[in-house]
Amino acid sequence: MSTTIRKSAITPGSILLYGSLFVLALFFLMPAYMAIVTALKDPATISLPTAWELPDKFNWGSFPQAFKLLKSNIASSLVLTVCATALSTVLGSLNGYVFSKWKFKGSELIFTLFLFGMFIPYQVILIPLFQTLRAMNLYGGLPGLILAHVVYGLPITSLIFRNFYAQIPTALVESARLDGAGFFSIYTKIVFPLSIPGFVVTSLWQVTQIWNEFLWGICLTRHEDNPITVGLAQLAGGQAVSWNLPMAGSIMAAFPVLMIYIFLGRYFIRGLLAGSVKE
């Protein structure tokens, strides 16, 4: 019995496709190349005509200097991202659980109105948000910024969990009710153990959005609590800038999210696809 191995033929279309992808990849990697090259140069050698050239001697000192200047911002971003992500994912999970398995009269209308928050731009609610946080005595610190990101992230996390929980058989929940299990018992013993893919998706989404957010960080926090994105902007501000430091800082700021997607990206895709196909 012979086995036929079918080889894909090289066609002009495939050459054009992969050539275009290669050019696009180079185009999107240009900023990363410029950041790395500039961060490794001595400040005296940084100039526009030689911006593309590799340094004659690597200056690794830019990274510890940038870290020293940004360490308080990095700490603020870590606290902000971890707390806001944890709260928004847990509350989103509970919302999705309610809207999928504990429906009540008018729940679909409330859920639809609830999702409108996904389409409200940051800039539209900035002034009302500022006034609300100031009235609650939360303006200027991390607790207010955490609250803002939790509330703003609830629509998308609730939607993801609601769609995910819709694939759990309702008969399983009904059986647990007949056995005397309550709302939280069913959630902790049945629903939550099945929610890992959903938590991966929502956590990665929230981490990316919160860590990279700039507008609320600069408008709703004071200097000592500014997140990393605001610290980078301040590091690059002024008329005389040592560009190796902002570039080194941008690399450090991008590194955590990049590592998360490198090591957990496949779980993010699996979580997005989980429950998308009904058997």
Side-chain angles (χ1 to χ4, degrees), residues 82 146 153 188:
V82 171
I146 290 172
T188 55

Side-chain angles (χ1 to χ4, degrees), residues 70-144:
L70 295 172
K71 61 181 180 180
S72 62
N73 304 111
I74 294 174
S76 297
S77 283
L78 286 174
V79 173
L80 167 66
T81 304
V82 171
C83 295
T85 299
L87 289 172
S88 60
T89 53
V90 171
L91 292 176
S93 175
L94 289 172
N95 285 341
Y97 171 52
V98 170
F99 284 119
S100 62
K101 300 303 177 187
W102 293 77
K103 294 183 179 181
F104 51 90
K105 186 177 181 180
S107 61
E108 291 298 324
L109 176 61
I110 294 176
F111 182 70
T112 302
L113 296 175
F114 191 73
L115 293 183
F116 283 167
M118 294 173 54
F119 308 103
I120 300 177
Y122 278 42
Q123 298 85 346
V124 173
I125 62 173
L126 183 59
I127 294 177
L129 180 60
F130 166 78
Q131 295 174 338
T132 301
L133 293 180
R134 188 172 61 177
M136 298 173 64
N137 294 322
L138 292 176
Y139 170 75
L142 285 180

Side-chain angles (χ1 to χ4, degrees), residues 152-172:
Y152 198 82
L154 278 178
I156 182 63
T157 58
S158 300
L159 174 64
I160 293 174
F161 277 112
R162 188 230 188 212
N163 294 340
F164 184 80
Y165 292 151
Q167 308 304 318
I168 298 177
T170 305
L172 187 63

